[in-house]
Amino acid sequence: MIKTLALPSKPSRLFGPNIEGLKRGKGYRVKMELSIAQPDDWHLHLRDNELLQTVVSHSAKQFGRAIIMPNLKPPVTTTAAAVSYYDSILKALPNNTNFTPLMTLYLTDKTTPQEIKLARESGVVYAVKLYPAGATTNSQDGVTDLFGKCVPALEEMINQNIPLLVHGEVTDPKVDIFDRERVFIETVLKPLIQKFPKLKVVMEHVTTMDAIKFVESCEEGSVAATVTPQHLLLNRNSLFQGGLQPHNYCLPVLKRETHRQAIVSAVTSGNKRFFLGTDSAPHERRTKESSCGCAGVFNAPVALSIYAKVFEEAGALDKLEAFTSFNGPDFYGLPRNTRKITLKKTPWKVPESYSYASGSIVPMSAGESLEWLPIFP
């Protein structure tokens, strides 16, 4: 629900609002509020240990649930490890939070059908993540033989109705980094869906018009995609403007403006195949600002503000709630959240960084002013 309130720029001391001025919009500033069902984050990195303690509150106060990525060191390859990580997250949560972590397994060439069954029986594992070996942070243990060694696990995922979450990039060094998503679709994802048409697949953090067209061509409810704030707001120029910008570096890497526009058009169209997944990926500042910086954007503190900005600029605020709060749970077969949050059109400044004992983390849009402020009950 969208509320528009007109407030006098210079309030009258004695007589209150001027009704005619209100009707004509003269001397008034417009304040807007959005009331939406509490969103979920369908792609989140919380890390572990001290970093987990530092970042989890930013997501827990905004989102009802989140799909938690398993690329820790060591990766979360078993149900027992997923349950242990789940317990660690619960212990790190602030008091009086309703946040629920939805765990994932890290698919490897050695993942067995029995492990998939255990995952379903656990009640805490909701998906399995495919990382092509070497594709991104802590993916060195990822899949090398998807259509061979992984087939029994994929078949059991169909039996258990567990989605496969895909990091959609090839890792062949001969393929240009800006083309790796497109090549992955042609050489891996299309053959995968042809071979396993009943397998539910989420193409994570899509970055190209090629991915948009592919997801739109698939059967609704079978293939979907998450979309990040950075890929909606930024293009690859943002990596280099004013010098190298390490805090805008993520994988998949930002693409050219034509791709960004295609993503914005898709998510603001109301298409149910697309939903919120921040891919918020915190790294300590020194590991980003280094000679070989880590990939990942820490956007949890600003994600909802940026999504609202993008939808407002597209004239599609009426479609924001479905993208943030409905399409994800509908795809996963989970109930929608009933709790409400409010987004107020009021400026706020993003902190330059968030400090903790071992260092600091720089958020997306650090030091900038954003126009939408989330308010929580």
Side-chain angles (χ1 to χ4, degrees):
M1 181 176 66
I2 301 174
K3 293 181 181 180
T4 303
L5 306 174
L7 301 177
S9 297
K10 295 181 179 179
S12 167
R13 294 180 180 177
L14 298 176
F15 302 109
N18 179 306
I19 300 302
E20 289 304 313
L22 176 61
K23 290 178 180 178
R24 295 191 300 269
K26 295 181 179 180
Y28 282 77
R29 51 191 168 88
V30 174
K31 295 198 72 173
M32 191 180 298
E33 292 184 3
L34 279 71
S35 176
I36 63 173
Q38 185 174 31
D40 299 302
D41 187 349
W42 299 98
H43 188 123
L44 178 63
H45 298 269
L46 286 177
R47 310 305 189 203
D48 54 3
N49 301 321
E50 189 179 17
L51 204 50
L52 167 63
Q53 297 280 347
T54 304
V55 303
V56 67
S57 62
H58 293 286
S59 295
K61 70 180 181 181
Q62 300 184 69
F63 300 106
R65 297 164 289 201
I67 286 283
I68 309 300
M69 292 296 120
N71 56 330
L72 304 181
K73 289 183 179 180
V76 182
T77 58
T78 67
T79 302
V83 172
S84 177
Y85 188 24
Y86 173 84
D87 291 339
S88 296
I89 295 170
L90 293 185
K91 291 177 182 176
L93 287 173
N95 294 329
N96 302 317
T97 179
N98 68 342
F99 180 78
T100 302
L102 310 176
M103 310 309 292
T104 60
L105 293 189
Y106 185 115
L107 184 66
T108 74
D109 293 344
K110 298 179 180 179
T111 303
T112 66
Q114 181 60 29
E115 195 64 60
I116 300 300
K117 292 179 182 177
L118 290 173
R120 171 55 75 196
E121 293 168 358
S122 72
V124 302
V125 176
Y126 285 81
V128 174
K129 182 68 185 288
L130 165 61
Y131 290 103
T136 188
T137 303
N138 297 341
S139 64
Q140 61 272 14
D141 297 306
V143 167
T144 65
D145 188 14
L146 181 64
F147 294 102
K149 295 177 180 177
C150 293
V151 166
L154 294 172
E155 291 175 338
E156 189 59 35
M157 288 170 61
I158 295 172
N159 294 337
Q160 300 296 333
N161 195 30
I162 294 180
L164 179 69
L165 316 183
V166 176
H167 183 111
E169 292 187 290
V170 296
T171 56
D172 184 345
K174 296 178 182 178
V175 178
D176 189 288
I177 193 169
F178 293 104
D179 295 329
R180 290 181 180 180
E181 185 170 276
R182 176 180 59 79
V183 174
F184 183 89
I185 292 168
E186 294 299 323
T187 62
V188 180
L189 199 50
K190 284 184 178 180
L192 175 70
I193 291 171
Q194 289 169 358
K195 186 176 179 65
F196 302 101
K198 294 183 180 180
L199 180 66
K200 295 189 74 166
V201 174
V202 179
M203 190 173 184
E204 299 292 342
H205 40 52
V206 291
T207 67
T208 62
M209 64 176 66
D210 307 274
I212 296 299
K213 290 177 181 178
F214 173 73
V215 173
E216 290 177 336
S217 73
C218 295
E219 181 182 353
E220 186 176 295
S222 177
V223 177
T226 58
V227 184
T228 76
Q230 59 266 28
H231 292 111
L232 284 171
L233 186 66
L234 307 176
N235 62 37
R236 63 187 186 181
N237 289 344
S238 300
L239 290 168
F240 309 109
Q241 287 174 333
L244 193 62
Q245 302 296 324
H247 298 288
N248 289 337
Y249 171 54
C250 58
L251 288 173
V253 72
L254 299 171
K255 303 300 194 297
R256 65 172 68 241
E257 176 64 10
T258 52
H259 292 294
R260 188 194 71 83
Q261 291 177 3
I263 298 169
V264 170
S265 294
V267 303
T268 59
S269 71
N271 192 318
K272 295 180 180 180
R273 296 173 176 84
F274 302 97
F275 43 83
L276 184 159
T278 65
D279 192 21
S280 185
H283 292 280
E284 201 281 320
R285 183 174 198 148
R286 289 166 294 186
T287 66
K288 293 287 289 181
E289 300 174 4
S290 71
S291 60
C292 186
C294 296
V297 173
F298 178 50
N299 60 38
V302 300
L304 291 182
S305 299
I306 290 175
Y307 285 126
K309 169 185 171 66
V310 170
F311 275 74
E312 181 185 28
E313 290 177 350
L317 279 176
D318 60 315
K319 296 181 174 65
L320 177 65
E321 185 176 36
F323 172 77
T324 61
S325 312
F326 296 160
N327 298 347
D330 290 355
F331 180 84
Y332 276 84
L334 296 172
R336 297 174 177 180
N337 294 324
T338 56
R339 187 184 185 207
K340 294 284 187 177
I341 70 162
T342 299
L343 288 163
K344 288 188 177 182
K345 186 75 178 290
T346 183
W348 67 283
K349 188 175 181 180
V350 182
E352 295 284 352
S353 65
Y354 295 92
S355 297
Y356 66 108
S358 299
S360 64
I361 311 165
V362 177
M364 183 180 178
S365 303
E368 298 178 17
S369 181
L370 298 179
E371 295 184 347
W372 288 95
L373 179 66
I375 305 295
F376 311 102

